Amino acid sequence: MQLRRLGKTGLQVSVIGFGGIPIQRVSYNQAAKVVEAAVAGGINFIDTARAYTDSESKLGDIIGDYRNKLIIATKSMARSKQDMIRDIDISLKELKTDFIDLYQLHNVKDEGSLEKVLAPGGALEALQDAKNCGKLRFIGVTGHIPDILVKAIRTGCFDTVQVPFNPVETAALDELLPLACEMNIGTIAMKPFAGGAFKNKAACLKFILNNGLTTTIPGMDEVSQVAENITAGQADFILSGEEKNLLAEEMELLGRKFCRRCEYCQPCPRGIDIPTIFLLEAYWTRYGLKKWAVERYQPMPAKISDCIDCGECEEKCPYSLPIREMLKEAGFHLKK
């Protein structure tokens, strides 16, 4: 497994990391087999989150014997200092570790969220305090909107940045990734297969790593998936002509109904959070996390049924997606 330096952290991380979302849906025994296969194959970067139900606790029970070989990352949606203090302590307990290598502000999606975590009494203060007392080593930020992440890393407060990156989601190439390189910030590619939309996984991983990101974190819940991903991390990252053609074909198929979460459709006049709904539907249809997705959809203040079919979102979408049609399809899944 090839290693790369995670920016100014100096940590040497495997180019293929372990995404902790899918192990929510499998038994502890299955999760243990998958994680153990990953570690045996040279994967040393493990990414999870407070929001991933029992992912942290499963990993905590599994990684004890390997802790000194691993670089553990987790993240929290907390925005206030007190909430983040609570979540850091829960993460330490669930992961059964004295320290966490990388703790990230999770899904900072707009300027309001960024201002809140950076303000006095915000979540960043808790992370800095925890770093000073040895509970964590480095601080990162994650999100789906490159422009917001650019503003975040320009503050100089972060060691890493995590963003969706795959053959159909490349907006980070415009400014975020060049800036991260200039500032020596580690880059982590999430959603390497576009939420399971791409089937040519080895080609996707090559594409990502050939574009210079430090590491990518495909989710895995089968040993066979681990083996496939590890093989991709051991080879060169140059795409063959055939692989380029396969990716181009898949991108063509995805183009008409694939939300890149650019948020140009926002705000909806009815308050519907369209990108989040499409993200939850992807968890329902592609990750198999049906209950988890529905549980997160139900508390949303504006539902798909609130749509008045005005079409304003479609007028603003730079990809000309049939958003109203896609919302109806998402509603069919998320109301179950």
Side-chain angles (χ1 to χ4, degrees), residues 77-95:
M77 289 283 292
R79 298 298 183 243
S80 71
K81 182 174 183 178
Q82 286 305 118
D83 287 346
M84 183 61 82
I85 289 171
R86 177 203 64 209
D87 276 4
I88 292 169
D89 287 340
I90 293 173
S91 292
L92 288 166
K93 181 180 178 181
E94 296 288 344
L95 289 164

Side-chain angles (χ1 to χ4, degrees), residues 190-237:
M190 61 167 144
K191 305 292 186 293
F193 310 136
F198 279 93
K199 305 307 176 189
N200 292 288
K201 297 180 178 179
C204 276
L205 296 175
K206 282 187 178 183
F207 176 86
I208 293 163
L209 296 170
N210 193 44
N211 273 286
L213 285 96
T214 311
T215 186
T216 181
I217 48 172
M220 298 172 247
D221 61 7
E222 295 282 350
V223 172
S224 60
Q225 296 167 357
V226 175
E228 182 181 5
N229 293 335
I230 285 173
T231 298
Q234 294 171 333
D236 65 65
F237 307 130

Side-chain angles (χ1 to χ4, degrees), residues 30-73:
Q30 176 67 12
K33 290 177 183 177
V34 173
V35 175
E36 288 164 4
V39 175
I43 291 176
N44 73 351
F45 183 71
I46 309 289
D47 179 89
T48 183
R50 283 272 63 245
Y52 300 166
T53 61
D54 63 354
S55 179
E56 282 187 336
S57 62
K58 280 177 178 169
L59 287 167
D61 288 335
I62 296 165
I63 64 177
D65 293 340
Y66 317 112
R67 179 64 184 95
N68 62 346
K69 299 179 182 179
L70 299 177
I71 296 162
I72 306 299

